Amino acid sequence: MTARAYGDRVRRSMVAGAADGYLPLDWLAGAGRTDTVTAAWSRGALAEVPAGLAWDVVRLPLTLAPETVRLLRAACVSLGPVLVGPPGAEFIVTRGSAHGWATEGGEVLATGRLVLLPHPSFVDPFRLGDRGWLVGPTDHGLTRGLHLEAAYRSARAEADAAGAAL
């Protein structure tokens, strides 16, 4: 199915009030833009939400994102949404929990920097405007920055060791 056909299906389901069953929105509540976000999604567009209001965003290299997600799941910690796009993988984390991030290769987006969010049904491999979810949004909590940093460091160390072994 093409991205356009998939987008049309999403729009139809949102207009019908279904959105493939349930639309997780609790994680957006603190941003104060839920209506704006759902309106953008209903038009088949990316929604713009500033980082640092309801949650923070940590951008990591796309190549290490799947292993970082696997390590977070293996640690049985809360795993929030993870976006993928041209700039890298963007982990949505609990607000303030990534303060002081000092791990090479990662970046905490500045407060107010716009994050482009596709509809939650655009989960890998589906994309909207080159953006999609590696881990789709749910209402089960966000990743803590400390847990993300630990998993990312481990993923980086594993990648470095594999590179050295070649």
Side-chain angles (χ1 to χ4, degrees), residues 22-157:
Y22 172 75
L23 189 61
L25 297 173
D26 287 352
W27 65 283
L28 286 171
R33 295 194 176 198
T34 304
D35 291 341
T36 305
V37 169
T38 56
W41 289 344
S42 70
R43 292 189 314 274
L46 294 167
E48 296 179 340
V49 178
L53 299 181
W55 29 258
D56 291 334
V57 177
V58 177
R59 184 176 291 149
L60 301 177
L62 191 55
T63 55
L64 295 176
E67 181 62 10
T68 302
V69 166
R70 186 192 71 74
L71 291 167
L72 286 165
R73 286 185 170 139
C76 297
V77 297
S78 184
L79 177 60
V82 181
L83 282 162
V84 291
E90 297 171 347
F91 286 74
I92 296 177
V93 300
T94 305
R95 187 169 175 248
S97 70
H99 178 73
W101 180 280
T103 303
E104 184 181 338
E107 164 193 17
V108 179
L109 299 188
T111 298
R113 184 149 177 203
L114 292 178
V115 180
L116 301 175
L117 306 175
H119 185 277
S121 63
F122 280 91
V123 177
D124 210 28
F126 298 105
R127 298 280 193 275
L128 177 62
D130 288 334
R131 296 187 61 78
W133 298 101
L134 180 60
V135 177
T138 67
D139 288 332
H140 300 297
L142 300 177
T143 306
R144 304 256 327 135
L146 182 65
H147 297 146
L148 175 59
E149 192 166 17
Y152 173 64
R153 283 181 183 205
S154 293
R156 239 181 107 93

